[in-house]
Amino acid sequence: MTSETHSLTGTGEPAPGPPPGCPAHGLGPGGLHRLHESEDLDELYERLRDQHGPVAPALIHDDVPVWVVLGHAENLHMVSTPAQFCRDSRIWTPWKEGMVKPDHPLMPHIAWQPIASHVEGDEHKRLRGAVSGAISTIDFRSLRRHIRRHTQRLVNRFCEEGRADLVGQFAEHLPMAVMCEILGMPDEYDDRLVEAARDALKGTDTAIASHTHVMEVLGRHTARRRAEPGEDLTSHLLSHPADLTEDEVREHLRLILFAAYENTANLISNVLRVVLTDPGFRAQLSGGQMTVPEAVEQSLWDEPPFSTIFAYFAKQETELGGQRIRAGDGLLLGIAPGNVDPRIRPDLSANMQGNRSHLAFGGGPHECPGQDIGRAIADSGVDALLMRLPDVQLDCDEDELRWRSSIASRHLVELPVRFEPKPPQDVTQAPSHAPAGAQRTGWHVGPPLPLPVGESQPSAVVTPPVPPVAGPAGPGAVAEPARPPGAWRRLVRWWRGY
């Protein structure tokens, strides 16, 4: 079948689709696959790759036609060529022809908004410059301290129980807590804000009310920071020379908050699931062959937080991946299928350590400006959690895990775990698997020290030091000499924020 047959404009009279249950269920007009009806999108993407190559025609809700970009190189070309492709849905032919209704399920993703990710040219430079400038003021040493302290607080909530759901009790809370710190509104972080953000992103019947609650929180915060600036991202966004209005600031805070929350919550869940279900993966972490940041990067390749991004639009007639793309056609940035393109990953079991060329954060002018924040929350949070709960184990069979899937992403519903109950720890201290308050006793390497008469000398060479020293209590008082930490340990503690 030629690309001319699959033109995504002027589709003519749609043929009635087959009923559910028949072999052709999931096919729409022209025999195109309905992405939203697929029970296994990964399998469908590979079938489309075999049939059409790196760019394939498909349908989304209401039988609206799109191109799915499956190839890694083709995705990079699309996002990096603003002269041919943009994110302004107002030029989308189905939009202009009325095929996309106001209540379309993907409207929150598709509808154009005056934000950096949807505009071009000088306006993009102005808005993107303000966002990037504000993000550049973040002190990542302080950020990691916030991450570890919030991890400590979250783990303290359930550590004495010996059981937890690491999605609902950890992964969905940590990003919101840290982002509230970054935005300068730590007092606004609570369970209600987490639930509202989660609900708004799910698109439930109460999603509009939940979205309204989040926007009210951001509105109050923006007004407060306009009157009383601080050293936080919101204040820097307000004071940037781009001179954003309060509405522009609030909309970009919403974008930053939702994107960081959804993306990072999925990333943390995915990394923890692999750690708990793949013995080889966990052994590499435990044995030092892989660091937590490398584990995060591997997860961004294998199971990116967003499967696709809606959407890019052709500004002119062009060619992509052997397909004729007409002006006004819509294209999905295929992150998940692009990451497993056999032309760049012929062996999916091969380790991708040190390789950051995945598509998880997009690319080109609209590449995610806050990707290092998400990486930091995920790798520091997972590392701190595993320090607190080194014996954590999955508390169900792996095949009992459930996902909530959509074209845009795949969410792990819950991750039940068990572990030996642990005491809470001081949130200002570095996470540790040692009991709270445990201190290493003094030790001595060398000839055995003399013992009181009547006591036998143990065979071990390492013995506690008990030399009499002169001190405030006078000669003969026993004290353990203080041993200051070495330069390397002081540097590590400084870097980690303790």
Side-chain angles (χ1 to χ4, degrees):
M1 222 173 264
T2 66
S3 59
E4 187 72 22
T5 306
H6 291 299
S7 171
L8 298 188
T9 57
T11 53
E13 291 297 323
C22 79
H25 179 55
L27 299 180
L32 300 183
H33 288 274
R34 294 185 173 106
L35 298 180
H36 54 289
E37 292 185 356
S38 173
E39 295 182 357
D40 187 340
L41 274 171
D42 290 340
E43 189 275 335
L44 175 58
Y45 288 146
E46 293 311 306
R47 200 185 324 159
L48 291 174
R49 199 194 308 270
D50 290 341
Q51 293 174 354
H52 303 284
V55 179
L59 300 171
I60 56 176
H61 304 76
D62 298 341
D63 287 339
V64 176
V66 294
W67 295 102
V68 186
V69 185
L70 306 167
H72 188 272
E74 288 73 19
N75 273 295
L76 286 179
H77 175 79
M78 179 179 68
V79 301
S80 304
T81 315
Q84 295 177 337
F85 304 97
C86 69
R87 298 206 61 203
D88 188 344
S89 60
R90 295 174 297 182
I91 72 170
W92 191 20
T93 299
W95 179 281
K96 295 192 293 185
E97 293 181 351
M99 293 181 65
V100 183
K101 306 301 181 185
D103 61 348
H104 193 281
L106 299 178
M107 185 59 70
H109 300 275
I110 295 170
W112 183 86
Q113 302 169 57
I115 54 178
S117 58
H118 287 175
V119 297
E120 296 184 90
D122 291 341
E123 187 65 0
H124 176 261
K125 290 179 182 178
R126 182 179 78 90
L127 296 176
R128 172 83 178 203
V131 172
S132 298
I135 290 175
S136 70
T137 65
I138 295 173
D139 178 359
F140 272 76
R141 188 171 68 90
S142 297
L143 172 62
R144 291 183 182 276
R145 180 172 64 248
H146 289 312
I147 296 167
R148 289 188 173 89
R149 289 187 177 182
H150 281 294
T151 297
Q152 291 279 58
R153 292 188 180 99
L154 291 171
V155 175
N156 281 348
R157 290 185 179 184
F158 54 75
C159 63
E160 296 177 290
E161 300 174 13
R163 293 178 182 273
D165 167 21
L166 292 186
V167 173
Q169 293 178 269
F170 183 73
E172 291 185 341
H173 281 261
L174 182 61
M176 183 63 73
V178 175
M179 290 308 300
C180 285
E181 294 279 0
I182 291 174
L183 299 185
M185 53 180 208
D187 293 341
E188 297 285 1
Y189 166 69
D190 56 20
D191 289 347
R192 185 184 179 194
L193 186 61
V194 172
E195 292 166 4
R198 187 165 47 196
D199 188 53
L201 291 165
K202 287 180 182 177
T204 64
D205 293 339
T206 56
I208 294 177
S210 295
H211 183 270
T212 300
H213 172 70
V214 175
M215 293 306 293
E216 287 174 350
V217 170
L218 294 176
R220 290 194 304 270
H221 173 60
T222 302
R224 184 166 56 246
R225 278 292 175 259
R226 177 76 77 180
E228 302 174 5
E231 289 298 321
D232 51 67
L233 188 146
T234 305
S235 298
H236 288 293
L237 202 55
L238 284 163
S239 63
H240 193 273
D243 195 24
L244 272 61
T245 66
E246 284 198 18
D247 284 346
E248 288 176 328
V249 170
R250 186 173 60 251
E251 286 300 316
H252 282 86
L253 291 180
R254 177 187 63 82
L255 176 66
I256 292 168
L257 186 67
F258 277 147
Y261 171 72
E262 175 82 346
N263 208 327
T264 311
N266 284 349
L267 179 56
I268 293 172
S269 298
N270 293 342
V271 173
L272 288 173
R273 180 190 63 80
V274 177
V275 168
L276 293 170
T277 59
D278 186 339
F281 195 90
R282 189 164 189 172
Q284 283 187 296
L285 275 180
S286 302
Q289 294 94 342
M290 179 188 291
T291 65
V292 175
E294 288 172 336
V296 168
E297 220 63 39
Q298 184 72 39
S299 180
L300 289 169
W301 273 104
D302 297 336
E303 198 166 6
F306 287 113
S307 308
T308 62
I309 295 292
F310 294 89
Y312 280 76
F313 307 94
K315 299 169 68 174
Q316 61 188 32
E317 185 164 326
T318 186
E319 183 272 340
L320 184 66
Q323 300 285 9
R324 177 186 176 186
I325 310 297
R326 296 187 176 183
D329 280 0
L331 305 95
L332 302 187
L333 169 60
I335 296 172
N339 277 358
V340 295
D341 186 341
R343 293 175 299 176
I344 65 161
R345 291 186 70 187
D347 179 6
L348 294 180
S349 65
N351 196 302
M352 301 300 286
Q353 288 184 23
N355 189 332
R356 284 193 172 191
S357 61
H358 52 72
L359 302 170
F361 297 110
H366 297 293
E367 183 175 7
C368 175
Q371 55 185 277
D372 287 336
I373 298 174
R375 284 188 173 100
I377 296 174
D379 69 57
S380 294
V382 170
D383 186 39
L385 174 76
L386 295 179
M387 284 296 295
R388 286 291 304 274
L389 308 175
D391 60 338
V392 64
Q393 300 289 333
L394 189 65
D395 197 24
C396 68
D397 291 335
E398 184 179 350
D399 57 11
E400 294 178 17
L401 295 176
R402 296 177 295 113
W403 280 263
R404 185 177 67 255
S405 300
S406 68
I407 303 173
S409 59
R410 185 169 179 257
H411 312 257
L412 188 61
V413 175
E414 60 181 357
L415 189 61
V417 296
R418 66 181 183 277
F419 48 88
E420 285 298 316
K422 308 286 194 301
Q425 290 187 6
D426 183 349
V427 300
T428 64
Q429 299 300 311
S432 170
H433 58 267
Q439 299 290 332
R440 187 177 69 176
T441 60
W443 51 273
H444 170 74
V445 178
L449 294 170
L451 293 175
V453 177
E455 292 191 19
S456 60
Q457 175 68 50
S459 58
V461 177
V462 178
T463 58
V466 288
V469 297
V478 177
E480 184 174 324
R483 182 180 182 184
W488 174 249
R489 180 167 296 180
R490 292 198 304 273
L491 176 63
V492 170
R493 287 181 61 81
W494 172 84
W495 174 252
R496 291 180 174 176
Y498 295 103

